[in-house]
């Protein structure tokens, strides 16, 4: 599985961005997809995941502000980010894993390249 992420950028506090991640391969629909992020000097952390059955999971820090979705026909997963805060500033990575989405980054099988999100106050 190869992943291509896009949609990062710079916004002000309370702004919105939508990240997209398109996967190659014919088995996209059987993979759980997710997003992690890594701020400077910090460990990569789980942000959100969506299973092949559309079950979703969010980190407490983004719950109520971020929404993950997937379009299997387009092999694409999205992360709609609203009410962004400066502490959301990080490089965001798309992730794919068979069936389930671990919240520990070391357990992820496939990564996309990162996309930078910068939120200024």
């Amino acid at each position: 599985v190869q992943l291509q992420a896009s949609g990062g950028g710079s916004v002000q506090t309370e702004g919105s961005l939508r990240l997209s991640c398109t996967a190659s391969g014919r088995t996209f629909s059987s993979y759980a997809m997710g997003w992690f992020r890594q701020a400077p000097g910090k460990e990569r952390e789980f942000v959100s995941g969506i299973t092949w059955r559309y079950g979703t999971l969010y980190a407490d820090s983004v719950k109520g502000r971020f929404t993950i979705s997937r379009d299997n026909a387009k092999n694409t997963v999205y992360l709609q980010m609203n009410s962004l805060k400066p502490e959301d500033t990080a490089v965001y990575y798309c992730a794919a894993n068979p069936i389930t989405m671990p919240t520990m980054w070391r357990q992820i099988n496939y990564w996309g390249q990162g996309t930078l999100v910068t939120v200024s106050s």
Side-chain angles (χ1 to χ4, degrees):
V1 176
Q2 292 185 325
L3 306 173
Q4 181 70 40
S6 62
S10 296
V11 295
Q12 293 187 327
T13 299
E14 292 298 316
S16 296
L17 283 172
R18 188 176 81 156
L19 305 183
S20 301
C21 175
T22 300
S24 63
R26 296 176 292 177
T27 59
F28 174 81
S29 60
S30 66
Y31 276 74
M33 302 295 297
W35 294 92
F36 287 68
R37 66 187 181 187
Q38 188 166 18
K42 295 189 176 181
E43 190 172 5
R44 192 170 298 191
E45 64 175 5
F46 172 79
V47 175
S48 182
I50 184 166
T51 69
W52 67 287
R53 289 187 172 182
Y54 298 91
T56 58
L57 184 65
Y58 297 94
D60 288 344
S61 59
V62 306
K63 204 171 292 183
R65 300 187 298 121
F66 291 10
T67 302
I68 192 169
S69 60
R70 66 188 295 161
D71 184 339
N72 288 343
K74 296 182 178 179
N75 280 12
T76 300
V77 62
Y78 305 97
L79 185 68
Q80 178 66 43
M81 305 185 294
N82 298 329
S83 300
L84 282 161
K85 305 175 181 181
E87 51 264 44
D88 294 317
T89 295
V91 176
Y92 283 70
Y93 295 91
C94 177
N97 220 64
I99 307 300
T100 61
M101 176 53 58
T103 59
M104 300 297 293
W105 66 268
R106 291 178 179 84
Q107 298 175 320
I108 297 299
N109 285 355
Y110 302 101
W111 292 103
Q113 90 290 3
T115 184
L116 178 62
V117 172
T118 303
V119 184
S120 58
S121 57

